[in-house]
Amino acid sequence: MAHMSSVVLSSAPTDAELQSRFRPVFAHIAEGAIRRERERRLPFDEIQLLRESGFTRLRVPQEFGGLGASLPQVFRLLIDLAEAESNLPQALRVHFGFLENLRLEQDPQRREQWLRRAGEGAIFGNAITELGQGFHDRYRTTLAQDGQGWRLDGEKFYSTGSLFADHILVAAQRGDDRVSVLVDADQPGVSQQDDWDGFGQRLTASGTSRYEGVQILGDRVFEGGYGDPGKTHQTALFQLVQLSVLAGIAKRAVADVVEVTLGRTRTFNHALADLPKDDPLVQQVIGRGEAAAFAARATVLAVADLLGELLDLLNAGEDAPPELYDEAELAAAKAQSAVIPLVLRSVTDLFEVGGASITRADKALDRHWRNARTISLHNPVIYKEQRLGDNLLNGAAPPYAWTVGERNPTK
């Protein structure tokens, strides 16, 4: 597959250039999706293919070895990748989020250092969430002074993508402050497990990671941690990656059901046609599924345009107006409320085109519902819908991350 990196991009890659580059990559990844699901084989080879093809450096500026793609272009490709393999965009979610932060890094030396690493193919994973600890609690993972440097100790759950990563962004408590620490995945004291036992998104490497006496240099500590108060692009960006996964699942589910339907000759004695493919009710179910996939994709890309506008301003060194942050954050919440039920209904209703045989394990169609249901539960939609209503009725702040201990943010 090495020939795919030979496509010469212009100063700003076009959609056609990016499609030409990555369409064969995604097709190759899709070929093994069902087998990987059955065998629970983590997609190390597929991650490596994405690295070699340049996918992981889409948002890295060209001056640092990246492709310099726009944010909307990245989300178009994330949806396409999710259609091929829904686990991969989720596994790379924090990678792309960290790249956006690096693009905005105020320290020029640090910005260039890590963007160049990304331009060379480095992948960033995450270790943020801890079992039993809520958003408003202090992390039990600690960063403490140790001689001339720092010592990191703790355990994380949902360390999504870290088994694929070269560097891991670890959220830690340094006294009263939350910080982010960039750890090398192969450092002494770092251990990781693929022990995620959810019924969906099983191949994201969302397992436990432990940090025991990991030595940290000062330049690896980033001030501010996940969940800090204030307006940010991050919450909308991270949510939109999850919605991209849902949009991709919706499209792949339709394609799989079409393939199954075209191969079916058996139908019911009260069916409306001799062959399922000619049955108007079967056609309607599939048509509705295709419409759902189209609507999910269009919704995600509409929010990506807003986020892209915001980040373009910030990358140009300009101050973005507060209302632009709010517009993007509220748009992501609206998209979440619209896309999740739409896709969940679609991947459920598509089973109506066949009898019980459509649930056979060799077709693995159940993976679409399991994966969609699992990815939809990140940042539960019920809270976002409440915040949307409160915003409209009372002018309450959009649902950004809240300050530790603050459960009722003001306007």
Side-chain angles (χ1 to χ4, degrees):
M1 306 291 286
H3 66 281
M4 285 172 288
S5 62
S6 63
V7 176
V8 178
L9 296 179
S10 58
S11 57
T14 66
D15 289 344
E17 288 171 328
L18 293 173
Q19 282 293 318
S20 174
R21 187 184 190 107
F22 294 112
R23 189 181 292 113
V25 177
F26 299 158
H28 180 77
I29 288 172
E31 290 174 2
I34 292 178
R35 175 175 291 182
R36 286 191 298 273
E37 180 78 17
R38 288 186 193 139
E39 299 174 356
R40 193 182 174 127
R41 181 176 69 77
L42 291 181
F44 287 102
D45 293 342
E46 290 69 29
I47 288 284
Q48 184 61 24
L49 181 57
L50 291 174
R51 187 201 308 262
E52 292 172 354
S53 67
F55 186 84
T56 60
R57 47 192 173 91
L58 275 167
R59 277 292 277 171
V60 177
Q62 291 184 350
E63 63 186 293
F64 301 129
L67 304 188
S70 71
L71 195 72
Q73 286 176 323
V74 170
F75 276 99
R76 290 188 195 103
L77 292 170
L78 283 172
I79 295 171
D80 293 343
L81 176 59
E83 182 183 347
E85 170 58 88
S86 70
N87 293 277
L88 291 174
Q90 185 186 356
L92 293 171
R93 182 174 73 136
V94 168
H95 171 81
F96 281 105
F98 187 54
L99 290 184
E100 293 303 325
N101 291 344
L102 288 176
R103 288 170 60 99
L104 299 173
E105 172 61 48
Q106 296 300 303
D107 182 335
Q109 183 176 356
R110 174 182 270 183
R111 178 177 183 270
E112 178 174 350
Q113 174 189 358
W114 290 106
L115 284 175
R116 283 200 184 280
R117 282 286 296 123
E120 293 165 356
I123 294 175
F124 302 93
N126 90 98
I128 297 172
T129 306
E130 299 177 3
L131 272 180
Q133 298 296 99
F135 208 4
H136 306 282
D137 302 319
R138 292 165 62 93
Y139 291 122
R140 287 179 293 202
T141 300
T142 60
L143 184 70
Q145 193 82 43
D146 185 19
Q148 298 299 310
W150 300 87
R151 173 188 171 118
L152 180 70
D153 292 277
E155 180 176 305
K156 295 290 185 175
F157 196 56
Y158 299 132
S159 304
T160 306
S162 291
L163 280 168
F164 309 128
D166 303 289
H167 310 286
I168 305 170
L169 198 65
V170 184
Q173 201 75 34
R174 186 185 61 190
D176 293 331
D177 299 324
R178 288 184 170 193
V179 295
S180 299
V181 183
L182 198 58
V183 175
D184 295 339
D186 59 357
Q187 272 188 248
V190 177
S191 61
Q192 303 181 72
Q193 292 177 270
D194 176 32
D195 58 355
W196 165 239
D197 61 356
F199 61 62
Q201 293 296 100
R202 294 171 172 171
L203 307 181
T204 56
S206 296
T208 302
S209 61
R210 295 182 179 86
Y211 305 89
E212 300 176 284
V214 180
Q215 297 300 303
I216 304 295
L217 297 177
D219 64 354
R220 294 295 190 95
V221 180
F222 290 73
E223 301 297 327
Y226 187 73
D228 276 354
K231 298 182 187 298
T232 175
H233 67 277
Q234 290 184 348
T235 47
L237 179 75
F238 284 147
Q239 188 59 61
L240 203 58
V241 175
Q242 311 291 43
L243 297 181
S244 299
V245 174
L246 283 166
I249 289 172
K251 184 68 173 177
R252 174 57 62 184
V254 173
D256 285 354
V257 168
V258 166
E259 182 179 359
V260 169
T261 302
L262 289 174
R264 282 176 61 88
T265 57
R266 180 172 172 266
T267 189
F268 302 97
N269 57 9
H270 48 281
L272 302 182
D274 293 336
L275 292 174
K277 72 181 184 67
D278 297 322
D279 191 314
L281 293 182
V282 171
Q283 293 168 353
Q284 180 187 8
V285 169
I286 290 176
R288 189 168 58 205
E290 179 70 2
F294 174 85
R297 181 185 183 92
T299 302
V300 169
L301 294 182
V303 183
D305 284 340
L306 279 175
L307 266 176
E309 180 183 346
L310 170 61
L311 284 164
D312 284 347
L313 281 176
L314 297 176
N315 280 296
E318 300 181 27
D319 292 328
E323 56 269 23
L324 187 54
Y325 283 96
D326 288 352
E327 186 180 4
E329 181 71 11
L330 290 168
K334 294 172 192 176
Q336 188 180 1
S337 182
V339 169
I340 287 174
L342 181 67
V343 173
L344 287 178
R345 176 184 172 182
S346 177
V347 297
T348 300
D349 288 352
L350 283 168
F351 283 92
E352 298 293 340
V353 304
S357 63
I358 202 171
T359 68
R360 293 179 65 181
D362 66 315
K363 298 179 177 63
L365 293 177
D366 63 302
R367 77 187 192 280
H368 298 311
W369 184 89
R370 289 187 290 100
N371 290 338
R373 180 71 276 189
T374 300
I375 202 74
S376 72
L377 297 173
H378 293 72
N379 307 307
V381 70
I382 55 174
Y383 298 109
K384 298 298 181 71
E385 291 174 333
Q386 181 272 325
R387 297 297 291 174
L388 287 171
D390 199 11
N391 175 263
L392 288 171
L393 293 169
N394 303 307
Y400 295 102
W402 297 345
T403 311
V404 176
E406 181 184 10
R407 295 182 182 274
N408 187 25
T410 57
K411 298 179 185 179

